[in-house]
Amino acid sequence: MASDLSVVTREASELSLQTCEGGGVEPPSLVLAVPVGGAVGASVGAVGHSRAPGPSSGSGPNASAVAEFLFEGFSGLGWRHRLIFFVVFLSLYLLTLSGNAVIVTVIRLDRHLHTPMYFLLGALSVSETCYTVAVVPRMLAGLLRPRLPVSVPGCAAQLFCYLTCGICNCFLLTAMGYDRYVAICHPLRYSVLMGRRACVQLVSGSLGVGLGMATVQVTSVFGLPFCDGRVIAHFFCDVRPLLKLACGDTTVNEIVNFVVSVCVLVLPMGLVCVSYVLIVSAVLRVASAEGRRKAFATCVSHLTVVVVHYGCASIVYLKPKSQASLGQDRLISVTYTVVTPLLNPVVYTLRNKEVRVALRRAMGRKPLSP
């Protein structure tokens, strides 16, 4: 019986070798020993199932590229909380759009507001509107439909628009600080230093810097491979959550992100601080208390927006990677994507006497210009 089993095993092995040589397949490992009492079918089955892995098995868990991402957003909340947030954020979003539209319209129609300060304010309102439109609608959709998908090109487009408008806002606020400095410290040269050409150059330069920095960031982030990770721990496409999903080395990208953040946050914020130090020193030399009060009143609105805008953005983008918390960053991001854009029209309409007067003229259906 043992000799019969050996003969059958040898014949099965030779048949398997001939089949592999004819088909160009690597010979499988052969079973040379058969236990006593085993069946012939078990021996042949062992030969057939001892197969080397083929190329279809893949090279590892990161073999497939990601075609789309999913926003985690506020999926951890219950539907009642998400519905409440949806109503609140939608109301703030509509107020932001309408407030900025009112500012731009009044500045455009009222000749009393055709000054460098309001030209820059109108540009900031337009940029803030584009900024919120790039982020908030998808966030609202994510509140109604958790784990909302977005294609990789769509994510790149959102990141580009968000960064362009956000960086443009930073430099427009710096330009507005420079405008206040010239108006208070060099009033006799104000019309020369802040002429129409200078204002257009400041706005164009802010937009150009935003486009350039956004191109660098988007190219840096989406040059990385994204493999199995596809859930973005945020409610929109931002740099740091995307770097968390990359399956390659992100050291260079982290350095690029930090350098860009310093250039668009620390540098403009430093220039604004220098402007206000010079403004304060000039105002303190004014003899009358009424003159000092008026000078400070023209700066309060701008300073309020600057502190909130730069403060929230600096916490997120200048924080060391070791202390980064995507959950905390998400909450802070709500402030500078939903609340801060609303702060601009509210502050500049409620605290600005000239804008309030222009609005009253418009609502009273009186001519907006003499």
Side-chain angles (χ1 to χ4, degrees), residues 125-159:
S125 296
V126 173
S127 181
E128 288 277 20
T129 301
C130 297
Y131 177 80
T132 55
V133 168
V135 175
V136 179
R138 189 171 287 274
M139 180 189 72
L140 294 174
L143 286 169
L144 297 180
R145 181 188 172 189
R147 302 276 175 154
L148 187 68
V150 59
S151 65
V152 173
C155 184
Q158 185 189 45
L159 179 62

Side-chain angles (χ1 to χ4, degrees), residues 16 28-31 41-53:
S16 177
S29 301
L30 301 179
V31 179
S43 175
V44 176
V47 173
H49 286 288
S50 172
R51 199 184 308 175

Side-chain angles (χ1 to χ4, degrees), residues 220-259:
S220 171
V221 171
F222 285 91
L224 292 168
F226 296 98
C227 302
D228 286 347
R230 58 194 296 257
V231 179
I232 300 176
H234 216 314
F235 54 84
F236 69 98
C237 292
D238 201 1
V239 176
R240 188 162 274 175
L242 286 170
L243 291 181
K244 292 280 187 181
L245 297 181
C247 54
D249 184 16
T250 62
T251 303
V252 175
N253 306 84
E254 294 282 353
I255 295 174
V256 170
N257 182 43
F258 181 77
V259 171

